[in-house]
Amino acid sequence: MISREETDQLLSVAEGSYLIRESQRQPGTYTLALRFGSQTRNFRLYYDGKHFVGEKRFESIHDLVTDGLITLYIETKAAEYIAKMTINPIYEHIGYTTLNREPAYKQHMAVLKETHDEKEATGQDGVSEKRVHTFRGPHWCEYCANFMWGLIAQGVKCADCGLNVHKQCSKMVPNDCKPDLKHVKKVYSCDLTTLVKAHTTTRPMVVDMCIREIESRGLNSEGLYRVSGFSDLIEDVKMAFDRDGEKADISVNMYEDINIITGALKLYFRDLPIPLITYDAYPKFIESAKIMDPDEQLETLHEALRSLPPAHCETLRYLMAHLKRVTLHEKENLMNAENLGIVFGPTLMRSPELDPMAALNDIRYQRLVVELLIKNEDILF
């Protein structure tokens, strides 16, 4: 609880020093005082579980100050350069798009999430969605080729093709991206829409190949999809797809146990950054499972399916048709629609809720959604 003058005197000893004081103008609120450029700068400090003075939110004041000093330094020393960054883009040369449409100057969403718990929503068909993103380690903008500065939320990342750009550069990037295959480094953990666009297919090749293999030799296998394969060999299959793509060998000569192939397919869906049933569509699917009237339930489920991106909907259709065929061999494999719902519910759906209890309560509805999709596959699709 000190004055601006006392604060200025205390902080004048070192660049980058800071303190927090109670605001004299508005008691009960707080001011972050920061020494930069031989001046003491004052910012209103807020807290909503994280600390912030602008749109970026930080776990600690120290991180906020560190990021602030980086930003102040860059914006002070390179203001003229920053203003010209978008004039000579390298975007045309990096292979993300054919650039055959007019640029879209839409307002891009600014949803700040830490990388490990980021839930990226899918854009509408043909429209890429760019979200504020925290990059770990040094990154350079793929529009202007300049360094992306800051401690967190240094730029935005396209949810469809993975393009990384400054926020100011994102307004210049066309929204009809189509990733070049050379920029898609892997099959697992790659956005589903990005993968099918890059390979010009309707579904991910890993889904097609695994299902063909399972149906050729595994439909009568007891506990199909319920029994786990050896995890190290499942990882081998994953690496084979990431390395060789559609040339991956998953035949009986390589993997005799069909549970390794079913395990690899389930792992593919679990590893998707945006689940097969997307975060945006999730509430509608859960809502359908809670409806008691059968006709209304199917109508709501049909609406939910229409809200999925095309590649997600087509992959879900193909998977449900396959699982329906699995149930036709129930006498041998002991897997009916209910059992498969238990296995695939949490595999295909992830709650957008951060509250673990809310997510836990949804598990029974996730199971029911998949069960309904399998049983009504011929009607719904």
Side-chain angles (χ1 to χ4, degrees):
M1 296 176 68
I2 57 174
S3 67
R4 276 184 172 234
E5 293 73 24
E6 289 174 284
T7 300
D8 190 52
Q9 191 175 353
L10 275 170
L11 297 183
S12 63
V13 296
E15 277 284 287
S17 57
Y18 68 93
L19 59 78
I20 299 165
R21 61 180 177 82
E22 187 168 3
S23 173
Q24 288 180 306
R25 292 177 184 171
Q26 290 184 287
T29 63
Y30 296 92
T31 298
L32 170 66
L34 172 65
R35 190 74 176 181
F36 178 82
S38 301
Q39 292 180 326
T40 299
R41 303 183 180 221
N42 295 280
F43 304 89
R44 175 74 64 80
L45 183 64
Y46 299 92
Y47 182 76
D48 64 355
K50 290 189 178 182
H51 307 279
F52 62 102
V53 296
E55 69 171 22
K56 291 187 182 184
R57 283 160 166 74
F58 300 84
E59 296 287 353
S60 69
I61 301 290
H62 185 82
D63 285 352
L64 187 156
V65 170
T66 305
D67 185 82
L69 287 169
I70 294 167
T71 303
L72 285 168
Y73 185 86
I74 294 285
E75 289 179 353
T76 303
K77 303 290 184 184
E80 189 179 339
Y81 186 78
I82 290 169
K84 295 177 180 176
M85 281 197 320
T86 59
I87 293 172
N88 297 307
I90 61 158
Y91 182 70
E92 289 91 337
H93 311 297
I94 61 172
Y96 276 94
T97 183
T98 53
L99 285 177
N100 57 358
R101 298 181 199 168
E102 290 296 308
Y105 298 96
K106 68 174 184 175
Q107 183 66 40
H108 296 295
M109 290 188 69
V111 182
L112 176 59
K113 296 280 186 186
E114 290 296 324
T115 303
H116 63 268
D117 67 0
E118 193 174 53
K119 298 193 289 284
E120 295 176 312
T122 317
Q124 297 300 311
D125 183 25
V127 178
S128 67
E129 184 165 349
K130 299 167 185 68
R131 293 194 152 223
V132 172
H133 190 77
T134 292
F135 298 95
R136 306 300 184 202
H139 269 74
W140 281 260
C141 176
E142 291 169 325
Y143 182 81
C144 71
N146 290 290
F147 185 66
M148 298 171 76
W149 62 86
L151 193 65
I152 68 165
Q154 303 93 332
V156 300
K157 186 182 187 75
C158 176
D160 288 328
C161 70
L163 182 73
N164 303 317
V165 291
H166 291 110
K167 194 173 180 187
Q168 59 266 45
C169 291
S170 71
K171 298 183 180 74
M172 310 300 292
V173 177
N175 69 351
D176 62 334
C177 63
K178 178 181 176 181
D180 191 303
L181 191 55
K182 68 187 175 189
H183 293 284
V184 179
K185 304 293 185 189
K186 55 189 176 181
V187 171
Y188 280 68
S189 304
C190 176
D191 174 71
L192 191 149
T193 300
T194 302
L195 191 67
V196 299
K197 278 185 179 180
H199 288 271
T200 324
T201 57
T202 55
R203 297 179 299 272
M205 95 284 282
V206 61
V207 175
D208 281 12
M209 289 174 65
C210 285
I211 286 177
R212 278 201 304 269
E213 193 65 29
I214 292 160
E215 294 199 353
S216 71
R217 61 184 173 99
L219 287 177
N220 293 330
S221 178
E222 187 175 325
L224 190 68
Y225 286 113
R226 181 178 53 77
V227 176
S228 300
F230 187 47
S231 59
D232 285 0
L233 291 177
I234 290 170
E235 280 295 320
D236 282 351
V237 174
K238 173 183 174 178
M239 287 192 295
F241 275 116
D242 283 342
R243 184 183 63 246
D244 305 324
E246 61 191 17
K247 294 179 181 175
D249 183 2
I250 58 170
S251 68
V252 67
N253 297 327
M254 283 295 292
Y255 304 102
E256 188 178 349
D257 183 4
I258 198 65
N259 298 312
I260 293 162
I261 309 303
T262 60
L265 181 60
K266 288 186 292 182
L267 180 62
Y268 171 75
F269 288 120
R270 283 199 303 273
D271 277 359
L272 284 174
I274 302 167
L276 186 60
I277 292 174
T278 62
Y279 293 117
D280 283 351
Y282 183 93
K284 198 74 177 173
F285 277 93
I286 293 296
E287 180 193 333
S288 71
K290 295 177 180 179
I291 295 170
M292 302 306 292
D293 180 72
D295 292 336
E296 189 186 344
Q297 187 175 59
L298 284 181
E299 183 54 42
T300 307
L301 204 49
H302 205 255
E303 281 177 37
L305 286 168
R306 283 199 294 266
S307 70
L308 289 173
H312 285 247
C313 191
E314 168 55 22
T315 304
L316 186 61
R317 180 201 68 77
Y318 189 72
L319 178 65
M320 291 304 116
H322 162 65
L323 295 180
K324 184 71 169 280
R325 290 191 289 273
V326 170
T327 64
L328 298 179
H329 295 256
E330 184 191 346
K331 278 188 179 179
E332 292 78 26
N333 60 38
L334 307 181
M335 296 300 288
N336 56 25
E338 186 180 351
N339 293 336
L340 290 168
I342 292 168
V343 172
F344 277 95
T347 302
L348 305 182
M349 307 174 72
R350 293 199 293 276
S351 171
E353 290 288 334
L354 293 176
D355 177 14
M357 284 309 296
L360 199 62
N361 288 334
D362 279 357
I363 288 176
R364 57 181 169 149
Y365 298 116
Q366 292 172 357
R367 171 190 64 74
L368 192 54
V369 165
V370 175
E371 185 181 337
L372 287 166
L373 287 170
I374 295 169
K375 286 180 174 177
N376 299 285
E377 168 267 332
D378 52 340
I379 300 167
L380 291 167
F381 296 99

